Amino acid sequence: MSDGFPTLLLVMAAAALICRMLGFVLMRFMPASPRIEAALRATPLSVMAGITALSLAQGGLAEALALGAVVGLTLLLGSDVAAALLGVAVVAVLRWVGV
């Protein structure tokens, strides 16, 4: 990974937090429509997509295989958090094996 990854990660996390906070402020003054609720739910997903794109762009075969595992585990388990944590374990095992 490049030296700029931690900075990019912090910027994406800050953007997600600001969007989420502003969304809740907006909901105080406006009735919550399904469209607003969908936007608030999509913000964490966009941050995860940004992190994934950075990892794939600078990673190798282990990261690509772990991403595939995470997608499969998300469908199987129904929990994106558990799948992401298991994906970290998949990358660790693949690197330990030498992939």
Side-chain angles (χ1 to χ4, degrees):
M1 299 258 164
S2 73
D3 293 334
F5 180 76
T7 303
L8 291 172
L9 185 61
L10 287 174
V11 168
M12 287 187 290
L17 179 64
I18 290 168
C19 286
R20 197 130 171 118
M21 289 171 54
L22 290 176
F24 286 115
V25 169
L26 176 69
M27 287 173 58
R28 280 190 100 179
F29 301 107
M30 294 177 61
S33 70
R35 197 170 188 175
I36 291 174
E37 289 178 11
L40 289 173
R41 280 193 214 104
T43 301
L45 181 61
S46 64
V47 172
M48 288 299 289
I51 293 168
T52 303
L54 286 172
S55 296
L56 281 177
Q58 297 180 355
L61 180 60
E63 286 80 5
L65 291 173
L67 176 61
V70 168
V71 170
L73 288 167
T74 299
L75 295 173
L76 183 68
L77 300 174
S79 171
D80 53 351
V81 174
L85 292 174
L86 289 170
V88 172
V90 169
V91 169
V93 168
L94 288 172
R95 287 186 180 168
W96 181 71
V97 171
V99 174

